[in-house]
Structures are given as structure tokens and as C-alpha cells.
């Protein structure tokens, strides 16, 4: 009987996590690239205020 390390036992789950993170990052870049600059600024501005960060 052989024992396998965790890295050997689950390479598919690690690859899946990397793939999902890459797709999420690509999706964020693509979506924000198509948003009007004023709408993106307003959304970021509102999030900053909602989290208590002063911005001006």
C-alpha cells in the first residue's frame, strides 16, 4: 500500500481553483473595460463611503 501526499491526491481541485480565479479576474477586467467611466467612478465612490473610507 502506498501513501500519497495531499498535493498528489488532489491536483484537479487545485487546477480548478486556479482556473476559476483566472476566469473571475478576466471577467472583472472585461466588464470594467466596457463600463462608462462615470458609472465606474460612482460605484467605486459609493463603495468607499459604504465602507467608511473618506475619499474627499
Amino acid at each position: 500500500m502506498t501513501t500519497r501526499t495531499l498535493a498528489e491526491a488532489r491536483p484537479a481541485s487545485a487546477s480548478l481553483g486556479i482556473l476559476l480565479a483566472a476566469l473571475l479576474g478576466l471577467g472583472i477586467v472585461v466588464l470594467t473595460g466596457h463600463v462608462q467611466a462615470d458609472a465606474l467612478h460612482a460605484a467605486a465612490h459609493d463603495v468607499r463611503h459604504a465602507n467608511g473610507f473618506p475619499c474627499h
Side-chain angles (χ1 to χ4, degrees):
M1 184 158 121
T2 61
T3 57
R4 296 169 59 183
T5 64
L6 185 59
E8 292 172 341
R10 299 187 182 176
S13 64
S15 298
L16 181 61
I18 292 169
L19 178 65
L20 290 176
L23 287 175
L24 178 63
L26 182 62
I28 289 171
V29 169
V30 169
L31 289 175
T32 57
H34 288 92
V35 175
Q36 296 291 330
D38 290 336
L40 189 58
H41 173 78
H45 188 241
D46 293 343
V47 170
R48 287 182 64 100
H49 281 291
N51 288 316
F53 293 108
C55 57
H56 46 89

